[in-house]
Amino acid sequence: MNWGKGIILGMAVFMLFIISMCVYMFRMPADEYDHQYYEKGLNFDKDFAKEKQVVADHAQPAISIEAGQAHIAFTKPANGTARFIRPSSEALDKTFQLNTNTGSSTSLELNGLVAGKWRIVLDWKSGDKAYLYQQEVYIK
């Protein structure tokens, strides 16, 4: 064995290592990269201010799930949206409109939602103030 054979053998082993790492990398599943990160970053301060407003005004809504319905009780009449977000599949997400001008509570039919873990994102206005509240729930 001389130096020439050792250098060629070392280069061959290194090239096999690089090729095997490339094959391994391309076989990995697609990442869950958020392609709207920039827009979400710009809106983060607005959302954070809305979440702080809920705490400051003690406006946390009461959410209960029973018999295929979600009952949401606000402290004051509210107009906005309720988004049900499924962590495992974005295709199952659903948005409902909220309008409680006649009272401070509403009921939403959950017939099309799959049983399991969901995150409710409530984004509403009450008077001249905007609020944002999130809660995890389990639908049976």
Side-chain angles (χ1 to χ4, degrees), residues 47 50 54 61 63 70 72 74 77-85 93-100 106-108 119-126 129-135:
D47 291 344
K50 289 180 184 179
V54 171
I63 301 171
I72 304 170
F74 295 97
N79 292 322
T81 60
R83 289 187 358 239
F84 281 76
I85 299 172
D93 294 356
K94 194 163 184 179
T95 303
F96 297 95
Q97 292 297 319
L98 299 173
N99 187 358
T100 62
T106 186
S107 294
L108 305 172
R119 184 168 46 124
I120 299 176
V121 178
L122 300 173
D123 189 1
W124 78 96
K125 287 188 177 183
S126 185
K129 294 182 181 179
Y131 301 97
L132 181 70
Y133 179 74
Q134 301 181 27
Q135 181 178 338

Side-chain angles (χ1 to χ4, degrees), residues 32-74:
E32 297 298 323
Y33 178 72
D34 188 3
H35 296 284
Q36 287 81 31
Y37 72 94
Y38 184 72
E39 291 83 7
K40 287 183 180 179
L42 292 175
N43 292 328
F44 179 79
D45 289 336
K46 294 177 189 173
D47 291 344
F48 185 69
K50 289 180 184 179
E51 289 176 348
K52 280 179 48 177
Q53 193 67 45
V54 171
V55 175
D57 292 348
H58 303 288
Q60 181 177 345
I63 301 171
S64 63
I65 308 283
E66 47 188 59
Q69 286 191 337
H71 302 286
I72 304 170
F74 295 97

